[in-house]
Every structure is written in structure tokens, then in C-alpha cells.
């Protein structure tokens, strides 16, 4: 089972914002035991989906040179459950960045209605701190981004296509 909680990027502007979608399917294992008789996507996985979109936004802002990890989930508000057949539209905006990390705010919408809101903090792991080496095997992150349609929609702040960074 792949642990991608976003199916496709729909928009990506370097240093600014990104959007993606998550289709909730009845055959996803995580819906089976979370709420018996009422299949919903666990809210924590909605946070994870927003964190994956936000983490890529932060990671790309630093040209994929930092080891970006989710450090803290701040304020979270859920307005409605995500049920099978729903398409979640994730939107994240890059806030403040600094040498040790970044702040991202995100929302999830379903059928045009606000479904969830979250503030996320990302940290940068320094080499030799907790884990040595890259967080992804060579080529794995690039392959994941291709699967998620990233390179088809990602543009720089000037509107030019995102380059293929060497370290991907």
C-alpha cells in the first residue's frame, strides 16, 4: 500500500501556494475499521494529505535541498466528514520560512464546501540529526511527483515550468 494521501496536484506556484485532490474510495483499507457502519476517511489522514501537499511546497521552495519533516500540527477545524465518493480539494499556502523550518496553512473543500482547516509547521532535519542521508531513495521523490502530476502544473513565481532539480 502506498501512503500517498493526495492523488494529483492541480496547481503549484513556487514559494506561494499549491492545490491537489484526494478521491475517497470505498475500497481503501483505512475506511474499513475507523468508524464501523459509517465509512469515512480518518480526519488525521486529511491532515496528512494537506501536509504532503504543503511539504512538497516547502521542499521545492528550497530546491529540494532540505530534509523537510512535519514537526507540528497547530490549529485544526473539521467541518464535515470525508465519505466514499467524495473528492477533497486541498489548498495550501506557504507562510513564513526561516533557516529551521516553515509554516503552511491549508484547507480542504468538498463539493464547494469548507471541509477542514489546518495550520502546519515543518522543520528541517540537519545531516546527522536523527537520520543520516536523504529521506528518499534516489529517484523515488521524482517518481512520486510524476505520479501526482506535479511537473505538469508546477510553475515558478514568474510562471515558468519548475526545473528538474538534480537532487531529485
Amino acid at each position: 500500500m502506498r501512503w500517498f494521501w493526495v492523488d494529483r496536484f492541480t496547481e503549484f506556484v513556487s514559494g506561494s501556494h499549491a492545490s491537489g485532490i484526494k478521491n475517497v474510495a470505498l475500497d481503501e483499507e483505512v475506511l474499513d475499521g475507523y468508524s464501523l457502519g459509517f465509512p469515512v476517511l480518518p480526519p488525521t489522514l486529511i491532515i496528512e494529505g494537506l501536509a504532503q501537499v504543503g511539504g512538497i511546497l516547502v521542499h521545492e521552495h528550497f530546491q529540494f535541498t532540505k530534509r523537510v519533516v512535519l514537526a507540528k500540527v497547530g490549529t485544526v477545524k473539521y467541518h464535515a466528514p470525508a465519505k466514499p465518493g467524495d473528492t477533497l480539494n486541498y489548498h495550501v499556502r506557504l507562510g513564513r520560512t526561516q533557516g529551521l523550518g516553515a509554516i503552511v496553512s491549508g484547507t480542504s473543500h468538498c463539493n464547494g464546501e469548507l471541509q477542514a482547516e489546518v495550520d502546519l509547521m515543518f522543520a528541517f532535519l540537519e545531516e546527522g540529526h536523527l537520520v543520516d542521508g536523504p529521506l528518499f531513495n534516489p529517484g523515488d521523490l521524482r517518481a512520486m511527483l510524476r505520479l501526482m502530476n506535479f511537473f505538469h502544473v508546477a510553475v515558478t513565481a514568474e510562471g515558468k515550468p519548475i526545473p528538474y532539480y538534480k537532487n531529485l
Side-chain angles (χ1 to χ4, degrees), residues 16 26 38 51 76 90 120 161 163:
S16 177
L26 187 57
F38 186 69
V76 178
Y90 294 150
L120 304 168

Side-chain angles (χ1 to χ4, degrees), residues 44-102:
T44 53
L45 297 181
I46 296 167
I47 293 172
E48 179 62 28
L50 287 162
Q52 288 179 359
V53 176
I56 295 298
L57 182 63
V58 172
H59 207 14
E60 189 282 328
H61 182 68
F62 291 93
Q63 300 181 349
F64 296 100
T65 60
K66 302 280 189 183
R67 296 179 339 148
V68 178
V69 295
L70 179 62
K72 179 181 178 182
V73 177
T75 305
V76 178
K77 293 181 185 176
Y78 293 105
H79 302 282
K83 301 178 297 274
D86 286 346
T87 297
L88 303 181
N89 293 284
Y90 294 150
H91 307 282
V92 297
R93 183 159 297 280
L94 185 61
R96 190 177 60 199
T97 62
Q98 55 186 12
L100 298 176

Side-chain angles (χ1 to χ4, degrees), residues 4-10 20-31 41 45-46 49 82-90 108-111:
F4 300 152
W5 299 109
V6 58
D7 294 326
R8 179 170 36 103
F9 279 89
T10 56
I21 61 169
K22 166 64 180 154
N23 294 304
V24 182
L26 187 57
D27 66 347
E28 292 184 85
E29 291 179 35
V30 296
L31 274 66
L41 183 66
L45 297 181
I46 296 167
K83 301 178 297 274
D86 286 346
T87 297
L88 303 181
N89 293 284
Y90 294 150
S108 174
H109 289 77
C110 182
N111 298 320

